[in-house]
Amino acid sequence: MSHKLISAAFCFMPLMALAEEATAPKVKSPYTASAELGMLFKTGDTNSADIKSGFDFTHEEAAWKSTVTLGLLIKKSEQEDENGEEHFTTSDQKWTAVGQTNYNIDKASPNYVYGNISYEDNRFSNFKSQSSISTGWGRRWFETEKATLDADVGPGYKRDVIRATDTQPEETKTAFIIQAQALYKREINEHVLFKQLLVAKYAPESGENSTYKARTSITTKLLETLQLKFSFTLDYNTDVEDGKENVNTETAMTLVYSF
């Protein structure tokens, strides 16, 4: 009889192990990433239908949180050559890179210190490139089960490279800035996420260019790892050359794959 009990125990051990594994809580990975691709309709300096892609990466562990966001915008348009024939070519493109690291000062406190760096190479505008670096203090001002609001502010430094024209050579301008940004997230339901990002880079010195950005997006889950994203972005530069718009907008619809 004892031999039968021992045999039965050995038979049930694998089943018990599987049951424990199924009920054990899953360990959340500190890494999250997503890639997106889609079409974009642009107004302002250029009216066109463009190809938009992007990549987001986040690492969050203990008191540290780091994010990297990459974006690429390519304009395809028909251009006429010297023989009068039209060819579909890449006429303009823009790529951006933004990285930020936050460090929570105290586990029981919503305050954090941050470091931020950004770079933009933009053939659409009169700026050949725009880059900045900033550091300062931030806080999670609001948090519920469905929504969060993070905002930070700090001093920084920016560098604008103004593209050469027929009458003016390439020029580089640098300036001290005060950078402020806020990010609001809200889960409308288990399938829909709303985000609102505001970024201001204010140059207090008279005559220097300040930039402001507002991006609104709604992401709808199609599958477990596939989402449909609608976004509207507004970029404002206070100092641009004649013939260029201060305000440029982007309206996009992209597919987002999370992994």
Side-chain angles (χ1 to χ4, degrees):
M1 183 68 179
S2 60
H3 293 291
K4 292 181 179 180
L5 290 173
I6 294 173
S7 299
F10 276 108
C11 289
F12 279 108
M13 283 177 64
L15 296 176
M16 294 171 62
L18 288 173
E20 290 179 359
E21 183 177 347
T23 56
K26 293 183 179 180
V27 178
K28 183 181 178 181
S29 172
Y31 302 97
T32 57
S34 64
E36 62 179 283
L37 179 66
M39 297 295 294
L40 180 146
F41 301 93
K42 191 169 185 294
T43 66
D45 291 330
T46 308
N47 297 309
S48 62
D50 308 319
I51 300 170
K52 179 179 174 64
S53 63
F55 178 80
D56 291 321
F57 173 82
T58 301
H59 176 260
E60 189 170 3
E61 193 168 16
W64 295 92
K65 180 180 180 180
S66 298
T67 59
V68 176
T69 303
L70 305 176
L72 176 64
L73 172 62
I74 300 175
K75 176 188 174 185
K76 293 286 188 178
S77 60
E78 286 187 338
Q79 294 185 349
E80 188 175 296
D81 62 18
E82 57 186 10
N83 298 320
E85 297 181 357
E86 292 187 344
H87 301 276
F88 200 67
T89 59
T90 300
S91 56
D92 284 302
Q93 70 180 34
K94 178 178 77 172
W95 70 270
T96 59
V98 180
Q100 178 159 324
T101 295
N102 298 347
Y103 177 75
N104 285 345
I105 300 173
D106 191 325
K107 290 182 179 180
S109 170
N111 299 311
Y112 60 86
V113 292
Y114 80 91
N116 176 283
I117 186 170
S118 69
Y119 179 84
E120 177 177 287
D121 184 303
N122 188 358
R123 297 185 190 176
F124 292 95
S125 72
N126 65 300
F127 296 101
K128 185 176 181 180
S129 67
Q130 293 180 282
S131 56
S132 68
I133 186 170
S134 172
T135 185
W137 168 84
R139 180 182 176 90
R140 172 153 289 185
W141 295 93
F142 177 77
E143 182 173 13
T144 66
E145 187 177 339
K146 295 289 186 179
T148 59
L149 172 62
D150 296 296
D152 48 60
V153 62
Y157 174 85
K158 77 179 183 72
R159 180 176 181 267
D160 293 344
V161 180
I162 302 173
R163 197 180 307 279
T165 65
D166 295 336
T167 58
Q168 296 290 335
E170 182 178 293
E171 184 181 4
T172 300
K173 289 187 175 183
T174 60
F176 168 81
I177 61 170
I178 298 173
Q179 178 170 306
Q181 56 185 0
L183 176 61
Y184 175 73
K185 297 181 182 179
R186 182 175 182 82
E187 291 184 13
I188 297 175
N189 57 48
E190 60 179 338
H191 300 292
V192 181
L193 176 65
F194 171 84
K195 289 184 181 181
Q196 178 65 63
L197 173 68
L198 301 172
V199 181
K201 299 178 182 180
Y202 171 67
E205 187 175 341
S206 177
E208 295 293 343
N209 179 50
S210 299
T211 64
Y212 303 92
K213 180 188 293 288
R215 178 179 293 123
T216 305
S217 68
I218 295 178
T219 305
T220 303
K221 183 183 292 187
L222 303 177
L223 300 172
E224 187 63 29
T225 57
L226 188 65
Q227 300 93 38
L228 182 64
K229 179 180 177 181
F230 299 90
S231 64
F232 175 78
T233 304
L234 184 148
D235 281 303
Y236 181 83
N237 282 273
T238 59
D239 186 20
V240 297
E241 68 178 16
D242 294 339
K244 293 293 185 180
E245 298 284 346
N246 292 91
V247 179
N248 285 273
T249 66
E250 297 176 356
T251 305
M253 181 176 68
T254 56
L255 284 174
V256 182
Y257 177 75
S258 301
F259 50 92

